[in-house]
Amino acid sequence: MPAEQVRGGREPDLIVGIVGAIAAEFVIDKTRVFIGGLSAGASMAVILGQSYPEIFSAVAAHSGLPRGAACDVKSAFAVMRGNAAVHDRSLERNSSPMRTLVIHGDADGTVHETNGRAITKQAIAAIKKAKVNVSKRRPLSGSVTTKSGRFTEFVDDQGLVVVRELIVSGGTHAWFGGSNLGSFTQDCDLNASNELIRFFLDLPAYDSSRK
């Protein structure tokens, strides 16, 4: 529902409240609060990052939908299949710039790969709207990501990676780098957990030539 995809929505506010409670109980660096998720969790991570930029420093979306792509169950399933998104322009106008990592499989039969690319475009648009220059950077040769799929980075004028997109060849609707014996996990060269940490801490994506 559109009301749950904006600042002040019940679900976003609930999660932000949990983050606030943890921050109040424990000593944490509030400039290093990140959020990520898989599938619906990825979609909520994008919503939270773009709606609460004063709380979250970066977002990771693994196999999710872009913010505002769907407004009800019917449109959600249509978007998941890769059909034209039902865009809510008010959500686009209110999106805040946010460093974003996108991970998606090109063989995802549940949430089509086009949704991952749409999250990338949405993130870049919000960053450019904030008057930040963004340029595309080619991947390092020999990196595990280039062997496993399509790897694209977008950097600002200072060289900071503001958006990183990892499209994994043969990737299904599962967390990459886990055991095939697990539920919603897929054993592959790219380890999503490692890539989240690398992106959040502004480290280069894994490069097999630097072992």
Side-chain angles (χ1 to χ4, degrees), residues 97-146:
M98 176 61 53
R99 291 187 66 237
T100 303
L101 170 66
V102 177
I103 302 176
H104 216 107
D106 66 3
D108 191 329
T110 303
V111 178
H112 195 270
E113 170 198 349
T114 53
N115 288 286
R117 296 201 301 267
I119 295 174
T120 297
K121 291 179 181 178
Q122 192 176 66
I124 293 172
I127 292 168
K128 287 184 175 180
K129 185 180 177 182
K131 309 300 182 183
V132 176
N133 292 323
V134 177
S135 58
K136 187 175 182 179
R137 184 164 71 182
R138 296 295 180 184
L140 295 169
S141 60
S143 69
V144 68
T145 43
T146 58

Side-chain angles (χ1 to χ4, degrees), residues 12 34 56 80 99 148 150:
F34 312 107
F56 302 103
M80 288 166 65
R99 291 187 66 237
S148 303
R150 301 190 303 279

